[in-house]
Amino acid sequence: MLSARELKTFRKQLLGWFRQFQRDLPWRRTRDPYRIWLSEIMLQQTRVAAAIPYYERFLERFPDVRALASAPQEDVLRLWSGLGYYSRARNLQKAAQQIVAKHGGEFPALLEDVLALPGIGNYTAAAILSIAFGEKHAVLDGNVARVLSRLGAIRGDLREPRRWQALQKTADHLLESKLPGDWNQAMMELGATLCTPRSPQCLLCPVAQFCEGRKQGLAESLPEKRKKRATVVVTLAAAIFADGKNQTLLLPPPKNTKEKALADHVPTLVSQMWHFPTLSVSGDAAEELLAHLHKFIPRSAKPQWKLIAAAKVRHAVTYRFITLLPFLIRVKRLPLIAGAKHLPLDDISQFPVSNLTRKAARAALATAAAVAGKH
Ligand code: SF4
């Protein structure tokens, strides 16, 4: 803990540095809670540079809470397509609908109301309330926790509940209550630009003189590594139909239990977006996929399909490592599957699809071109 005098200097130096060196980011030019909220949700799992064009496109289409609340979910997901973690977009829209229904379209300014919105936890609520409304709430996320662990030379797993609570107390203690929004952004900026996970730039740090981690030569080794969750390996097989005009078919996200059963064991990353008929496989992928497809097609149709294996697609998300085996199936006419949409294989992004689905389409297109070249 810093003395009152040290605390004053600490705040002054950090805020002074932030005013001079902060990056010019589009969400820093506004106090509109909707825009700040959107930026915070986008930045949860996405780098700043990658988020900016999405942020701008999203606001062009949905300039306020009401526009977002009343839009078709597909439009929202399409504009999110490529950012990943689509539950963020779904929750964003659900929250917008609640804001319209319960708060007349005005973003709530009370902590309990904000926390009641889907997809908003302590960190996001504190960020929105402090930046948009000047409320005294200190933010704590992985970024800020790293800075605090270095400043205080705190060892151990920061996400351990008691330690996390202690970090929140420290963040609350440091908060500059006259300028909570600037303060929180300054802490985040320090973590994002100087006190980075690797090679912190302590020589440029405005608060280096207060940093215990630096004094003890621990800056680079803090925070200590968390125990890793075991990796889950998933193998999927996807059926990519293509007719003579290279039209393919995509299935919608499952709506009811029967449809959910068909998408059973397929990671939500794939099945919650528009996707090729896909299933999780453990043995002969082509055989299992064919059996799966027969569930969609009336038995009487008995199609004779030849499955051509395209190049494997790999994708890692948090602790899951996915290998997707795309199979190209050339058909005269696309099979009729309830809810499926037909569209060009080289333009599937007109529907909200995951990156994995996009990669599978590319692999199938390459195979289709190679097969065509042989004939
Ligand atoms: Fe981070 Fe280095 Fe500053 Fe300490 S001195 S807060 S480790 S950048």
Side-chain angles (χ1 to χ4, degrees):
M1 282 285 175
L2 303 174
S3 69
R5 200 156 166 210
E6 285 171 329
L7 187 54
K8 205 172 158 196
T9 314
F10 180 95
R11 287 173 175 156
K12 199 171 152 206
Q13 286 177 193
L14 183 61
L15 279 174
W17 166 82
F18 177 64
R19 285 194 190 110
Q20 194 176 353
F21 295 107
Q22 64 171 302
R23 291 164 297 171
D24 178 26
L25 304 174
W27 43 87
R28 292 216 171 124
R29 298 175 213 138
T30 179
R31 288 283 174 267
D32 176 356
Y34 170 66
R35 287 165 185 248
I36 292 160
W37 169 39
L38 175 66
S39 71
E40 289 298 336
I41 300 295
M42 283 190 167
L43 291 172
Q44 275 170 14
Q45 261 101 9
T46 308
R47 286 175 307 105
V48 165
I52 290 175
Y54 282 91
Y55 173 82
E56 285 171 346
R57 277 197 297 269
F58 201 90
L59 283 174
E60 227 168 78
R61 171 71 179 79
F62 312 116
D64 52 36
V65 171
R66 285 182 189 279
L68 175 59
S70 60
Q73 191 191 60
E74 280 195 18
D75 287 7
V76 179
L77 292 177
R78 193 178 313 119
L79 280 169
W80 205 269
S81 187
L83 273 178
Y85 301 94
Y86 295 91
S87 56
R88 292 184 293 171
R90 289 194 191 88
N91 281 335
L92 200 65
Q93 191 180 31
K94 268 191 231 153
Q97 288 160 349
Q98 283 188 19
I99 294 171
V100 171
K102 292 189 187 161
H103 305 285
E106 293 293 324
F107 199 94
L110 283 178
L111 181 62
E112 61 195 67
D113 290 340
V114 179
L115 285 174
L117 297 169
I120 298 193
N122 290 330
Y123 163 80
T124 311
I128 302 168
L129 288 173
S130 62
I131 300 169
F133 300 106
E135 292 287 333
K136 296 168 198 159
H137 299 288
V139 292
L140 180 65
D141 66 346
N143 217 17
V144 173
R146 179 177 62 256
V147 175
L148 295 179
S149 79
R150 288 172 176 170
L151 283 168
I154 296 163
R155 291 163 172 267
D157 181 352
L158 302 184
R159 296 280 175 175
E160 199 261 306
R162 275 233 222 100
R163 203 164 280 123
W164 193 258
Q165 278 166 17
L167 287 169
Q168 183 67 62
K169 269 198 179 159
T170 307
D172 294 342
H173 172 69
L174 293 177
L175 182 77
E176 165 57 273
S177 58
K178 285 188 212 110
L179 295 161
D182 282 2
W183 178 259
N184 280 332
Q185 292 186 82
M187 287 293 286
M188 294 190 257
E189 190 76 348
L190 182 63
T193 61
L194 296 183
C195 198
T196 45
R198 272 182 236 141
S199 316
Q201 298 183 59
C202 304
L203 290 176
L204 300 176
C205 178
V207 290
Q209 82 223 56
F210 302 101
C211 183
E212 267 308 306
R214 180 176 179 243
K215 279 182 209 157
Q216 295 180 24
L218 292 172
E220 290 218 35
S221 53
L222 291 176
E224 288 180 347
K225 294 226 173 345
R226 303 182 69 194
K227 282 190 202 99
K228 265 199 169 173
R229 192 168 170 178
T231 308
V232 176
V233 177
V234 184
T235 307
L236 304 174
I240 302 167
F241 290 96
D243 68 8
K245 290 182 182 159
N246 260 353
Q247 291 276 307
T248 191
L249 69 81
L250 288 179
L251 297 175
K255 280 197 281 304
N256 52 41
T257 338
K258 193 177 159 215
E259 287 176 5
K260 279 194 180 123
L262 283 172
D264 200 15
H265 302 308
V266 175
T268 48
L269 154 83
V270 176
S271 70
Q272 284 194 4
M273 310 288 285
W274 282 80
H275 57 283
F276 296 113
T278 304
L279 96 154
S280 174
V281 290
S282 53
D284 184 323
E287 225 169 71
E288 288 179 35
L289 183 60
L290 260 182
H292 179 65
L293 292 173
H294 287 155
K295 291 184 200 164
F296 293 91
I297 317 285
R299 279 186 185 281
S300 52
K302 287 213 178 123
Q304 296 294 311
W305 288 324
K306 189 176 156 209
L307 274 59
I308 310 167
K312 279 181 198 168
V313 172
R314 295 184 196 282
H315 196 79
V317 199
T318 55
Y319 61 94
R320 246 201 289 245
F321 190 81
I322 301 170
T323 301
L324 184 131
L325 309 171
F327 287 93
L328 175 70
I329 309 178
R330 299 243 55 142
V331 287
K332 276 212 183 88
R333 231 181 272 144
L334 294 171
L336 290 173
I337 298 180
K341 289 267 192 264
H342 296 175
L343 71 175
L345 181 54
D346 60 2
D347 190 20
I348 59 166
S349 294
Q350 50 181 280
F351 279 76
V353 294
S354 69
N355 277 339
L356 191 59
T357 299
R358 243 192 297 270
K359 286 186 203 168
R362 278 202 293 271
L365 274 170
T367 302
V371 171
K374 278 188 197 160
H375 295 295

